[in-house]
Amino acid sequence: MSLNNMSSKNNLELNPRISVDCVIFGFDLNQLKVLVIERSISDSDKQILTLPGDLIYEAENLEIAADRVLFELTGLETIFLEQVGAFGDTDRLNKEADKKWLRAVREEPEARVITIAYFSLVNIHEYAPQASSFAKSAAWIPLNEIDELAFDHFDILQTALKKLKNKIRIQPVGFNLLPEKFTLSQLQKLYEAILGRELDKRNFRRKMLKLQLVEMLEERQEKVPHKPSQYFKFNETNYNILIENGFDNFGF
Amino acid sequence: MSLNNMSSKNNLELNPRISVDCVIFGFDLNQLKVLVIERSISDSDKQILTLPGDLIYEAENLEIAADRVLFELTGLETIFLEQVGAFGDTDRLNKEADKKWLRAVREEPEARVITIAYFSLVNIHEYAPQASSFAKSAAWIPLNEIDELAFDHFDILQTALKKLKNKIRIQPVGFNLLPEKFTLSQLQKLYEAILGRELDKRNFRRKMLKLQLVEMLEERQEKVPHKPSQYFKFNETNYNILIENGFDNFGF
DNA sequence: CCAAAAGTGTTGAAGTTACACCCATGC
DNA sequence: GCATGGGTGTAACTTCAACACTTTTGG
């Protein structure tokens, strides 16, 4: 492919004004985590975490770009992504440490860049992120341990989290976050982690079973030092129906 | 101001890759309408409608740009805008009629442009849109009469409408759409227009009154050929509380 | 036998749906 | 007096929140 070929030029040329950033939530059956990467520049700098993200290519759709960037930076693949929104304040790249980093890696470090953020939910055990490209390392960090990120990424993370909280109220989102078989307690912990508050065990189980979102398996936990829990799996048919229609529990 | 002055240069220079588009919903006490403009080029072309929108300036925040563009194209001012999202498919400007128009008005007509859409709700009687700039005319068109728009604007409209439907379930949005005093039947019609289905009169009134979102005024309708209706106004205090917290009527 | 989490029902309160008739006014 | 939309109550049903004890297993 030649750089002078028009179409491949477009495919190979970065758009210096538009980036994508990904907020990837994972759940380790205990707490919510977020996939972040460490910027790799000189070791002397304080390492600051960022969301996986980068400039898009000229001829690349946004969702495709988000998929690609996520893969390049972390090795994660084929993940459902939902748009969080566009972040375009003129001062979003103005922190001194961020500018320094941009000068080191970008061809147009002073350019105004608008970023489109996406979020996704993944089963933390099926996806082992690994460092690549200019990411020094990619890692799952517990959500509540993050209090600072580069650029406006902390803001993006908060917005994505708000979207997730709203979404869980009306759609069965959480299922992408869990392994194929899981216990109802694990499912409950997930909901509690997302909503940020405790739920009543009996009420939660009743509701989940009534929605027919889960099906009991034959299998039970083994070698646990307490009464072993039933495993469940998702009922895909009902899951898809509910994804489509939402829980629709509103008062009109 | 000189074009060679760096900061004013940035303020005067268009960003050829980013635009904003506005979905402005209005309500005439009967049906939902959308503010659209007619593209003004040669009269021989079939007139196709677009959402108010244009390129942003380099040093302009997105929300500010949306405010500005809306004002320039329609004369509407100081409107609350909420982001719908970014629309960036590479083929979004590829329709032949759209390309022709872009060649006529844009400095870089072939550029790939990503647009950030915003939506708002306005009181149709307080805002009289007027043509200006390169908008031949601005007009309120009933939502259900729109089946085609330029670019990907129809898609943007549908997405904005979906957001509005979701929002009305958990927040008292509709109030921006109504005049200061209104009857409960008018409020109900508004909800029906947004939700796209009929609601029970008694249940609706009960619910609204219980939420304490509205307050009865002394005034009643006059000169109507039926029992005159009470006027109500919004209770701003409770309105703001509900905007903040949402109705929170979900089952967990 | 002890620690740990699993699992299970009921009750009272609140909210939701469905439904039909009289009222006040203009013409 | 008639056409029009305004305004009102109740009963059956569903959903929700709160709450405590027994079971099964590993060690």
PDB file of all heavy atoms in Angstrom, chain A residues 17-18 58 60-61 83 86 90 112 163 169 197 248-250 252, chain B residues 17-18 58 60-61 83 86 89-90 112 163 169 197 248-250 252:
ATOM      1  N   ARG A  17      -7.818  15.465  15.034  1.00  0.00           N
ATOM      2  CA  ARG A  17      -8.781  16.218  15.840  1.00  0.00           C
ATOM      3  C   ARG A  17      -9.750  15.354  16.618  1.00  0.00           C
ATOM      4  O   ARG A  17     -10.502  15.874  17.427  1.00  0.00           O
ATOM      5  CB  ARG A  17      -9.623  17.130  14.931  1.00  0.00           C
ATOM      6  CG  ARG A  17      -8.869  17.873  13.883  1.00  0.00           C
ATOM      7  CD  ARG A  17      -7.912  18.853  14.517  1.00  0.00           C
ATOM      8  NE  ARG A  17      -7.420  19.769  13.507  1.00  0.00           N
ATOM      9  CZ  ARG A  17      -8.036  20.914  13.211  1.00  0.00           C
ATOM     10  NH1 ARG A  17      -9.107  21.266  13.847  1.00  0.00           N
ATOM     11  NH2 ARG A  17      -7.547  21.688  12.272  1.00  0.00           N
ATOM     12  N   ILE A  18      -9.784  14.067  16.290  1.00  0.00           N
ATOM     13  CA  ILE A  18     -10.799  13.214  16.909  1.00  0.00           C
ATOM     14  C   ILE A  18     -10.150  11.985  17.540  1.00  0.00           C
ATOM     15  O   ILE A  18      -9.375  11.285  16.888  1.00  0.00           O
ATOM     16  CB  ILE A  18     -11.804  12.683  15.865  1.00  0.00           C
ATOM     17  CG1 ILE A  18     -12.289  13.793  14.954  1.00  0.00           C
ATOM     18  CG2 ILE A  18     -12.953  11.963  16.547  1.00  0.00           C
ATOM     19  CD1 ILE A  18     -13.357  14.641  15.524  1.00  0.00           C
ATOM     20  N   GLU A  58      -8.725   8.627   9.461  1.00  0.00           N
ATOM     21  CA  GLU A  58      -9.639   9.445   8.674  1.00  0.00           C
ATOM     22  C   GLU A  58     -10.849   8.671   8.167  1.00  0.00           C
ATOM     23  O   GLU A  58     -11.969   9.166   8.163  1.00  0.00           O
ATOM     24  CB  GLU A  58      -8.905  10.051   7.468  1.00  0.00           C
ATOM     25  CG  GLU A  58      -8.153  11.322   7.791  1.00  0.00           C
ATOM     26  CD  GLU A  58      -9.078  12.479   8.174  1.00  0.00           C
ATOM     27  OE1 GLU A  58     -10.303  12.316   8.173  1.00  0.00           O
ATOM     28  OE2 GLU A  58      -8.540  13.536   8.515  1.00  0.00           O
ATOM     29  N   GLU A  60     -12.284   5.921   9.228  1.00  0.00           N
ATOM     30  CA  GLU A  60     -12.670   4.889  10.181  1.00  0.00           C
ATOM     31  C   GLU A  60     -13.895   5.329  10.970  1.00  0.00           C
ATOM     32  O   GLU A  60     -13.915   6.428  11.528  1.00  0.00           O
ATOM     33  CB  GLU A  60     -11.481   4.682  11.133  1.00  0.00           C
ATOM     34  CG  GLU A  60     -11.592   3.554  12.112  1.00  0.00           C
ATOM     35  CD  GLU A  60     -10.316   3.454  12.944  1.00  0.00           C
ATOM     36  OE1 GLU A  60      -9.811   4.498  13.416  1.00  0.00           O
ATOM     37  OE2 GLU A  60      -9.818   2.337  13.119  1.00  0.00           O
ATOM     38  N   ASN A  61     -14.888   4.463  11.025  1.00  0.00           N
ATOM     39  CA  ASN A  61     -16.053   4.783  11.839  1.00  0.00           C
ATOM     40  C   ASN A  61     -15.679   4.785  13.319  1.00  0.00           C
ATOM     41  O   ASN A  61     -14.747   4.105  13.730  1.00  0.00           O
ATOM     42  CB  ASN A  61     -17.167   3.766  11.594  1.00  0.00           C
ATOM     43  CG  ASN A  61     -17.951   4.087  10.332  1.00  0.00           C
ATOM     44  OD1 ASN A  61     -17.752   5.138   9.729  1.00  0.00           O
ATOM     45  ND2 ASN A  61     -18.821   3.182   9.936  1.00  0.00           N
ATOM     46  N   GLN A  83     -21.977   4.150  23.227  1.00  0.00           N
ATOM     47  CA  GLN A  83     -21.421   5.496  23.313  1.00  0.00           C
ATOM     48  C   GLN A  83     -21.808   6.211  24.608  1.00  0.00           C
ATOM     49  O   GLN A  83     -22.961   6.174  25.021  1.00  0.00           O
ATOM     50  CB  GLN A  83     -21.877   6.350  22.116  1.00  0.00           C
ATOM     51  CG  GLN A  83     -21.078   7.624  21.975  1.00  0.00           C
ATOM     52  CD  GLN A  83     -21.530   8.524  20.836  1.00  0.00           C
ATOM     53  OE1 GLN A  83     -22.043   9.612  21.067  1.00  0.00           O
ATOM     54  NE2 GLN A  83     -21.337   8.078  19.618  1.00  0.00           N
ATOM     55  N   ALA A  86     -19.675  12.778  23.582  1.00  0.00           N
ATOM     56  CA  ALA A  86     -18.510  13.505  23.100  1.00  0.00           C
ATOM     57  C   ALA A  86     -18.018  14.440  24.189  1.00  0.00           C
ATOM     58  O   ALA A  86     -18.814  15.042  24.902  1.00  0.00           O
ATOM     59  CB  ALA A  86     -18.875  14.303  21.855  1.00  0.00           C
ATOM     60  N   THR A  90     -12.520  23.001  25.376  1.00  0.00           N
ATOM     61  CA  THR A  90     -11.251  23.453  24.791  1.00  0.00           C
ATOM     62  C   THR A  90     -10.084  23.291  25.755  1.00  0.00           C
ATOM     63  O   THR A  90      -8.937  23.284  25.329  1.00  0.00           O
ATOM     64  CB  THR A  90     -11.357  24.928  24.366  1.00  0.00           C
ATOM     65  OG1 THR A  90     -11.891  25.677  25.455  1.00  0.00           O
ATOM     66  CG2 THR A  90     -12.263  25.070  23.160  1.00  0.00           C
ATOM     67  N   ARG A 112      -6.519  20.870  18.933  1.00  0.00           N
ATOM     68  CA  ARG A 112      -7.687  20.655  19.762  1.00  0.00           C
ATOM     69  C   ARG A 112      -8.289  19.310  19.382  1.00  0.00           C
ATOM     70  O   ARG A 112      -8.631  19.079  18.214  1.00  0.00           O
ATOM     71  CB  ARG A 112      -8.717  21.730  19.507  1.00  0.00           C
ATOM     72  CG  ARG A 112      -9.965  21.454  20.314  1.00  0.00           C
ATOM     73  CD  ARG A 112     -11.085  22.338  19.966  1.00  0.00           C
ATOM     74  NE  ARG A 112     -12.229  21.997  20.771  1.00  0.00           N
ATOM     75  CZ  ARG A 112     -13.378  22.618  20.690  1.00  0.00           C
ATOM     76  NH1 ARG A 112     -13.516  23.608  19.861  1.00  0.00           N
ATOM     77  NH2 ARG A 112     -14.382  22.234  21.453  1.00  0.00           N
ATOM     78  N   LYS A 163     -24.169   6.526  33.369  1.00  0.00           N
ATOM     79  CA  LYS A 163     -24.929   5.843  32.316  1.00  0.00           C
ATOM     80  C   LYS A 163     -25.185   4.398  32.698  1.00  0.00           C
ATOM     81  O   LYS A 163     -26.274   3.862  32.479  1.00  0.00           O
ATOM     82  CB  LYS A 163     -24.142   5.872  30.994  1.00  0.00           C
ATOM     83  CG  LYS A 163     -24.165   7.209  30.332  1.00  0.00           C
ATOM     84  CD  LYS A 163     -24.603   7.109  28.872  1.00  0.00           C
ATOM     85  CE  LYS A 163     -24.799   8.517  28.353  1.00  0.00           C
ATOM     86  NZ  LYS A 163     -25.548   8.596  27.121  1.00  0.00           N
ATOM     87  N   ARG A 169     -31.047  -0.003  35.600  1.00  0.00           N
ATOM     88  CA  ARG A 169     -32.408   0.114  36.115  1.00  0.00           C
ATOM     89  C   ARG A 169     -33.440  -0.385  35.136  1.00  0.00           C
ATOM     90  O   ARG A 169     -34.534  -0.761  35.530  1.00  0.00           O
ATOM     91  CB  ARG A 169     -32.750   1.570  36.395  1.00  0.00           C
ATOM     92  CG  ARG A 169     -31.853   2.214  37.385  1.00  0.00           C
ATOM     93  CD  ARG A 169     -32.321   3.627  37.630  1.00  0.00           C
ATOM     94  NE  ARG A 169     -31.876   4.050  38.927  1.00  0.00           N
ATOM     95  CZ  ARG A 169     -32.600   4.791  39.762  1.00  0.00           C
ATOM     96  NH1 ARG A 169     -33.801   5.191  39.418  1.00  0.00           N
ATOM     97  NH2 ARG A 169     -32.139   5.117  40.930  1.00  0.00           N
ATOM     98  N   ARG A 197     -25.052   0.430  46.554  1.00  0.00           N
ATOM     99  CA  ARG A 197     -25.749   0.248  47.830  1.00  0.00           C
ATOM    100  C   ARG A 197     -26.190  -1.202  47.975  1.00  0.00           C
ATOM    101  O   ARG A 197     -26.224  -1.956  47.000  1.00  0.00           O
ATOM    102  CB  ARG A 197     -26.945   1.182  47.947  1.00  0.00           C
ATOM    103  CG  ARG A 197     -28.074   0.865  47.016  1.00  0.00           C
ATOM    104  CD  ARG A 197     -29.053   2.038  46.974  1.00  0.00           C
ATOM    105  NE  ARG A 197     -29.797   2.021  45.722  1.00  0.00           N
ATOM    106  CZ  ARG A 197     -30.984   1.428  45.594  1.00  0.00           C
ATOM    107  NH1 ARG A 197     -31.551   0.825  46.613  1.00  0.00           N
ATOM    108  NH2 ARG A 197     -31.609   1.449  44.424  1.00  0.00           N
ATOM    109  N   ASP A 248     -39.429  -1.506  31.657  1.00  0.00           N
ATOM    110  CA  ASP A 248     -40.640  -0.731  31.509  1.00  0.00           C
ATOM    111  C   ASP A 248     -41.385  -0.595  32.813  1.00  0.00           C
ATOM    112  O   ASP A 248     -42.589  -0.770  32.863  1.00  0.00           O
ATOM    113  CB  ASP A 248     -41.546  -1.386  30.455  1.00  0.00           C
ATOM    114  CG  ASP A 248     -42.540  -0.363  29.917  1.00  0.00           C
ATOM    115  OD1 ASP A 248     -42.260   0.835  30.013  1.00  0.00           O
ATOM    116  OD2 ASP A 248     -43.593  -0.791  29.416  1.00  0.00           O
ATOM    117  N   ASN A 249     -40.669  -0.325  33.865  1.00  0.00           N
ATOM    118  CA  ASN A 249     -41.486  -0.139  35.052  1.00  0.00           C
ATOM    119  C   ASN A 249     -41.562   1.328  35.439  1.00  0.00           C
ATOM    120  O   ASN A 249     -40.933   1.847  36.323  1.00  0.00           O
ATOM    121  CB  ASN A 249     -41.142  -1.123  36.160  1.00  0.00           C
ATOM    122  CG  ASN A 249     -39.948  -0.825  36.969  1.00  0.00           C
ATOM    123  OD1 ASN A 249     -39.426   0.250  36.937  1.00  0.00           O
ATOM    124  ND2 ASN A 249     -39.543  -1.807  37.718  1.00  0.00           N
ATOM    125  N   PHE A 250     -42.418   1.989  34.724  1.00  0.00           N
ATOM    126  CA  PHE A 250     -42.682   3.385  34.993  1.00  0.00           C
ATOM    127  C   PHE A 250     -44.176   3.574  35.164  1.00  0.00           C
ATOM    128  O   PHE A 250     -44.983   2.845  34.618  1.00  0.00           O
ATOM    129  CB  PHE A 250     -42.208   4.264  33.848  1.00  0.00           C
ATOM    130  CG  PHE A 250     -42.441   5.704  34.110  1.00  0.00           C
ATOM    131  CD1 PHE A 250     -41.824   6.314  35.180  1.00  0.00           C
ATOM    132  CD2 PHE A 250     -43.289   6.424  33.322  1.00  0.00           C
ATOM    133  CE1 PHE A 250     -42.051   7.651  35.450  1.00  0.00           C
ATOM    134  CE2 PHE A 250     -43.518   7.769  33.585  1.00  0.00           C
ATOM    135  CZ  PHE A 250     -42.896   8.374  34.643  1.00  0.00           C
ATOM    136  N   PHE A 252     -46.646   5.402  34.158  1.00  0.00           N
ATOM    137  CA  PHE A 252     -47.729   5.862  33.291  1.00  0.00           C
ATOM    138  C   PHE A 252     -48.260   4.756  32.418  1.00  0.00           C
ATOM    139  O   PHE A 252     -47.505   3.981  31.880  1.00  0.00           O
ATOM    140  CB  PHE A 252     -47.257   7.017  32.408  1.00  0.00           C
ATOM    141  CG  PHE A 252     -47.175   8.302  33.162  1.00  0.00           C
ATOM    142  CD1 PHE A 252     -45.958   8.908  33.372  1.00  0.00           C
ATOM    143  CD2 PHE A 252     -48.312   8.873  33.681  1.00  0.00           C
ATOM    144  CE1 PHE A 252     -45.884  10.082  34.077  1.00  0.00           C
ATOM    145  CE2 PHE A 252     -48.234  10.056  34.385  1.00  0.00           C
ATOM    146  CZ  PHE A 252     -47.021  10.655  34.590  1.00  0.00           C
TER     147      PHE A 252
ATOM    148  N   ARG B  17     -13.701  19.879  10.821  1.00  0.00           N
ATOM    149  CA  ARG B  17     -13.996  18.468  11.064  1.00  0.00           C
ATOM    150  C   ARG B  17     -15.121  18.231  12.051  1.00  0.00           C
ATOM    151  O   ARG B  17     -15.533  17.096  12.235  1.00  0.00           O
ATOM    152  CB  ARG B  17     -12.750  17.756  11.637  1.00  0.00           C
ATOM    153  CG  ARG B  17     -11.468  18.101  10.958  1.00  0.00           C
ATOM    154  CD  ARG B  17     -11.496  17.634   9.521  1.00  0.00           C
ATOM    155  NE  ARG B  17     -10.151  17.677   8.967  1.00  0.00           N
ATOM    156  CZ  ARG B  17      -9.288  16.662   9.072  1.00  0.00           C
ATOM    157  NH1 ARG B  17      -9.635  15.562   9.676  1.00  0.00           N
ATOM    158  NH2 ARG B  17      -8.089  16.781   8.550  1.00  0.00           N
ATOM    159  N   ILE B  18     -15.538  19.269  12.762  1.00  0.00           N
ATOM    160  CA  ILE B  18     -16.516  19.074  13.833  1.00  0.00           C
ATOM    161  C   ILE B  18     -17.693  20.012  13.649  1.00  0.00           C
ATOM    162  O   ILE B  18     -17.512  21.219  13.486  1.00  0.00           O
ATOM    163  CB  ILE B  18     -15.915  19.389  15.219  1.00  0.00           C
ATOM    164  CG1 ILE B  18     -14.550  18.736  15.392  1.00  0.00           C
ATOM    165  CG2 ILE B  18     -16.889  18.986  16.324  1.00  0.00           C
ATOM    166  CD1 ILE B  18     -14.592  17.295  15.752  1.00  0.00           C
ATOM    167  N   GLU B  58     -12.626  26.807  16.256  1.00  0.00           N
ATOM    168  CA  GLU B  58     -11.529  26.081  16.902  1.00  0.00           C
ATOM    169  C   GLU B  58     -11.529  26.224  18.414  1.00  0.00           C
ATOM    170  O   GLU B  58     -11.294  25.272  19.135  1.00  0.00           O
ATOM    171  CB  GLU B  58     -10.184  26.571  16.348  1.00  0.00           C
ATOM    172  CG  GLU B  58      -9.767  25.907  15.059  1.00  0.00           C
ATOM    173  CD  GLU B  58      -9.476  24.418  15.227  1.00  0.00           C
ATOM    174  OE1 GLU B  58      -9.544  23.900  16.346  1.00  0.00           O
ATOM    175  OE2 GLU B  58      -9.193  23.777  14.213  1.00  0.00           O
ATOM    176  N   GLU B  60     -13.902  26.965  20.552  1.00  0.00           N
ATOM    177  CA  GLU B  60     -15.266  27.077  21.060  1.00  0.00           C
ATOM    178  C   GLU B  60     -15.700  25.758  21.688  1.00  0.00           C
ATOM    179  O   GLU B  60     -15.582  24.710  21.059  1.00  0.00           O
ATOM    180  CB  GLU B  60     -16.161  27.431  19.870  1.00  0.00           C
ATOM    181  CG  GLU B  60     -17.589  27.746  20.184  1.00  0.00           C
ATOM    182  CD  GLU B  60     -18.343  28.132  18.905  1.00  0.00           C
ATOM    183  OE1 GLU B  60     -18.187  27.435  17.867  1.00  0.00           O
ATOM    184  OE2 GLU B  60     -19.077  29.116  18.937  1.00  0.00           O
ATOM    185  N   ASN B  61     -16.191  25.836  22.893  1.00  0.00           N
ATOM    186  CA  ASN B  61     -16.723  24.620  23.497  1.00  0.00           C
ATOM    187  C   ASN B  61     -17.971  24.145  22.748  1.00  0.00           C
ATOM    188  O   ASN B  61     -18.675  24.949  22.142  1.00  0.00           O
ATOM    189  CB  ASN B  61     -17.067  24.857  24.966  1.00  0.00           C
ATOM    190  CG  ASN B  61     -15.843  24.780  25.853  1.00  0.00           C
ATOM    191  OD1 ASN B  61     -14.769  24.395  25.387  1.00  0.00           O
ATOM    192  ND2 ASN B  61     -15.988  25.147  27.110  1.00  0.00           N
ATOM    193  N   GLN B  83     -26.766  16.841  25.524  1.00  0.00           N
ATOM    194  CA  GLN B  83     -26.115  16.129  24.437  1.00  0.00           C
ATOM    195  C   GLN B  83     -26.837  14.837  24.074  1.00  0.00           C
ATOM    196  O   GLN B  83     -27.208  14.055  24.945  1.00  0.00           O
ATOM    197  CB  GLN B  83     -24.653  15.809  24.792  1.00  0.00           C
ATOM    198  CG  GLN B  83     -23.849  15.378  23.584  1.00  0.00           C
ATOM    199  CD  GLN B  83     -22.403  14.997  23.893  1.00  0.00           C
ATOM    200  OE1 GLN B  83     -22.025  13.842  23.781  1.00  0.00           O
ATOM    201  NE2 GLN B  83     -21.609  15.969  24.275  1.00  0.00           N
ATOM    202  N   ALA B  86     -22.454  11.698  19.635  1.00  0.00           N
ATOM    203  CA  ALA B  86     -21.646  12.002  18.458  1.00  0.00           C
ATOM    204  C   ALA B  86     -22.074  11.098  17.321  1.00  0.00           C
ATOM    205  O   ALA B  86     -22.364   9.923  17.524  1.00  0.00           O
ATOM    206  CB  ALA B  86     -20.172  11.794  18.775  1.00  0.00           C
ATOM    207  N   ASP B  89     -20.216   8.363  11.396  1.00  0.00           N
ATOM    208  CA  ASP B  89     -19.993   7.376  10.353  1.00  0.00           C
ATOM    209  C   ASP B  89     -19.365   8.046   9.135  1.00  0.00           C
ATOM    210  O   ASP B  89     -19.707   9.183   8.792  1.00  0.00           O
ATOM    211  CB  ASP B  89     -21.311   6.708   9.951  1.00  0.00           C
ATOM    212  CG  ASP B  89     -21.673   5.594  10.917  1.00  0.00           C
ATOM    213  OD1 ASP B  89     -20.910   5.376  11.880  1.00  0.00           O
ATOM    214  OD2 ASP B  89     -22.717   4.963  10.711  1.00  0.00           O
ATOM    215  N   THR B  90     -18.476   7.322   8.483  1.00  0.00           N
ATOM    216  CA  THR B  90     -17.736   7.925   7.378  1.00  0.00           C
ATOM    217  C   THR B  90     -18.636   8.229   6.184  1.00  0.00           C
ATOM    218  O   THR B  90     -18.276   9.034   5.331  1.00  0.00           O
ATOM    219  CB  THR B  90     -16.590   7.011   6.929  1.00  0.00           C
ATOM    220  OG1 THR B  90     -17.113   5.702   6.715  1.00  0.00           O
ATOM    221  CG2 THR B  90     -15.504   6.953   7.987  1.00  0.00           C
ATOM    222  N   ARG B 112     -14.126  14.917   6.183  1.00  0.00           N
ATOM    223  CA  ARG B 112     -14.952  14.088   7.035  1.00  0.00           C
ATOM    224  C   ARG B 112     -15.338  14.904   8.263  1.00  0.00           C
ATOM    225  O   ARG B 112     -14.475  15.406   8.979  1.00  0.00           O
ATOM    226  CB  ARG B 112     -14.168  12.866   7.497  1.00  0.00           C
ATOM    227  CG  ARG B 112     -15.016  12.044   8.432  1.00  0.00           C
ATOM    228  CD  ARG B 112     -14.245  11.012   9.144  1.00  0.00           C
ATOM    229  NE  ARG B 112     -15.121  10.272  10.023  1.00  0.00           N
ATOM    230  CZ  ARG B 112     -14.726   9.264  10.749  1.00  0.00           C
ATOM    231  NH1 ARG B 112     -13.479   8.858  10.672  1.00  0.00           N
ATOM    232  NH2 ARG B 112     -15.566   8.646  11.537  1.00  0.00           N
ATOM    233  N   LYS B 163     -34.115   9.449  23.447  1.00  0.00           N
ATOM    234  CA  LYS B 163     -33.593  10.020  24.698  1.00  0.00           C
ATOM    235  C   LYS B 163     -34.685  10.756  25.453  1.00  0.00           C
ATOM    236  O   LYS B 163     -34.797  10.654  26.671  1.00  0.00           O
ATOM    237  CB  LYS B 163     -32.449  11.000  24.405  1.00  0.00           C
ATOM    238  CG  LYS B 163     -31.172  10.317  24.014  1.00  0.00           C
ATOM    239  CD  LYS B 163     -30.001  10.815  24.838  1.00  0.00           C
ATOM    240  CE  LYS B 163     -28.808   9.933  24.522  1.00  0.00           C
ATOM    241  NZ  LYS B 163     -27.729  10.012  25.489  1.00  0.00           N
ATOM    242  N   ARG B 169     -39.538   9.599  31.558  1.00  0.00           N
ATOM    243  CA  ARG B 169     -39.933   8.588  32.533  1.00  0.00           C
ATOM    244  C   ARG B 169     -39.368   8.865  33.903  1.00  0.00           C
ATOM    245  O   ARG B 169     -39.918   8.399  34.904  1.00  0.00           O
ATOM    246  CB  ARG B 169     -39.397   7.214  32.115  1.00  0.00           C
ATOM    247  CG  ARG B 169     -39.875   6.779  30.780  1.00  0.00           C
ATOM    248  CD  ARG B 169     -39.343   5.399  30.497  1.00  0.00           C
ATOM    249  NE  ARG B 169     -40.234   4.725  29.605  1.00  0.00           N
ATOM    250  CZ  ARG B 169     -40.566   3.448  29.680  1.00  0.00           C
ATOM    251  NH1 ARG B 169     -40.041   2.694  30.625  1.00  0.00           N
ATOM    252  NH2 ARG B 169     -41.382   2.912  28.829  1.00  0.00           N
ATOM    253  N   ARG B 197     -48.554   7.401  23.250  1.00  0.00           N
ATOM    254  CA  ARG B 197     -49.733   6.595  23.566  1.00  0.00           C
ATOM    255  C   ARG B 197     -50.639   7.365  24.526  1.00  0.00           C
ATOM    256  O   ARG B 197     -50.228   8.340  25.138  1.00  0.00           O
ATOM    257  CB  ARG B 197     -49.344   5.253  24.171  1.00  0.00           C
ATOM    258  CG  ARG B 197     -48.728   5.327  25.539  1.00  0.00           C
ATOM    259  CD  ARG B 197     -48.089   3.989  25.915  1.00  0.00           C
ATOM    260  NE  ARG B 197     -47.055   4.194  26.907  1.00  0.00           N
ATOM    261  CZ  ARG B 197     -47.267   4.063  28.216  1.00  0.00           C
ATOM    262  NH1 ARG B 197     -48.442   3.703  28.671  1.00  0.00           N
ATOM    263  NH2 ARG B 197     -46.283   4.267  29.075  1.00  0.00           N
ATOM    264  N   ASP B 248     -37.078   8.141  40.413  1.00  0.00           N
ATOM    265  CA  ASP B 248     -36.524   6.990  41.097  1.00  0.00           C
ATOM    266  C   ASP B 248     -37.555   5.896  41.266  1.00  0.00           C
ATOM    267  O   ASP B 248     -37.669   5.299  42.324  1.00  0.00           O
ATOM    268  CB  ASP B 248     -35.961   7.401  42.460  1.00  0.00           C
ATOM    269  CG  ASP B 248     -34.981   6.358  42.961  1.00  0.00           C
ATOM    270  OD1 ASP B 248     -34.436   5.629  42.134  1.00  0.00           O
ATOM    271  OD2 ASP B 248     -34.797   6.264  44.183  1.00  0.00           O
ATOM    272  N   ASN B 249     -38.330   5.655  40.251  1.00  0.00           N
ATOM    273  CA  ASN B 249     -39.269   4.578  40.492  1.00  0.00           C
ATOM    274  C   ASN B 249     -38.845   3.315  39.767  1.00  0.00           C
ATOM    275  O   ASN B 249     -39.313   2.903  38.744  1.00  0.00           O
ATOM    276  CB  ASN B 249     -40.720   5.012  40.331  1.00  0.00           C
ATOM    277  CG  ASN B 249     -41.244   5.088  38.960  1.00  0.00           C
ATOM    278  OD1 ASN B 249     -40.631   4.591  38.042  1.00  0.00           O
ATOM    279  ND2 ASN B 249     -42.379   5.684  38.825  1.00  0.00           N
ATOM    280  N   PHE B 250     -37.882   2.687  40.370  1.00  0.00           N
ATOM    281  CA  PHE B 250     -37.393   1.420  39.891  1.00  0.00           C
ATOM    282  C   PHE B 250     -37.355   0.451  41.039  1.00  0.00           C
ATOM    283  O   PHE B 250     -37.234   0.827  42.188  1.00  0.00           O
ATOM    284  CB  PHE B 250     -35.991   1.557  39.315  1.00  0.00           C
ATOM    285  CG  PHE B 250     -35.471   0.262  38.796  1.00  0.00           C
ATOM    286  CD1 PHE B 250     -36.114  -0.363  37.753  1.00  0.00           C
ATOM    287  CD2 PHE B 250     -34.387  -0.351  39.371  1.00  0.00           C
ATOM    288  CE1 PHE B 250     -35.653  -1.582  37.284  1.00  0.00           C
ATOM    289  CE2 PHE B 250     -33.924  -1.565  38.901  1.00  0.00           C
ATOM    290  CZ  PHE B 250     -34.555  -2.171  37.855  1.00  0.00           C
ATOM    291  N   PHE B 252     -35.416  -1.639  42.579  1.00  0.00           N
ATOM    292  CA  PHE B 252     -34.397  -2.121  43.516  1.00  0.00           C
ATOM    293  C   PHE B 252     -34.187  -1.179  44.686  1.00  0.00           C
ATOM    294  O   PHE B 252     -34.228   0.013  44.524  1.00  0.00           O
ATOM    295  CB  PHE B 252     -33.060  -2.315  42.791  1.00  0.00           C
ATOM    296  CG  PHE B 252     -33.038  -3.578  41.993  1.00  0.00           C
ATOM    297  CD1 PHE B 252     -32.957  -3.555  40.626  1.00  0.00           C
ATOM    298  CD2 PHE B 252     -33.121  -4.802  42.621  1.00  0.00           C
ATOM    299  CE1 PHE B 252     -32.938  -4.720  39.889  1.00  0.00           C
ATOM    300  CE2 PHE B 252     -33.110  -5.977  41.895  1.00  0.00           C
ATOM    301  CZ  PHE B 252     -33.026  -5.925  40.515  1.00  0.00           C
TER     302      PHE B 252
END
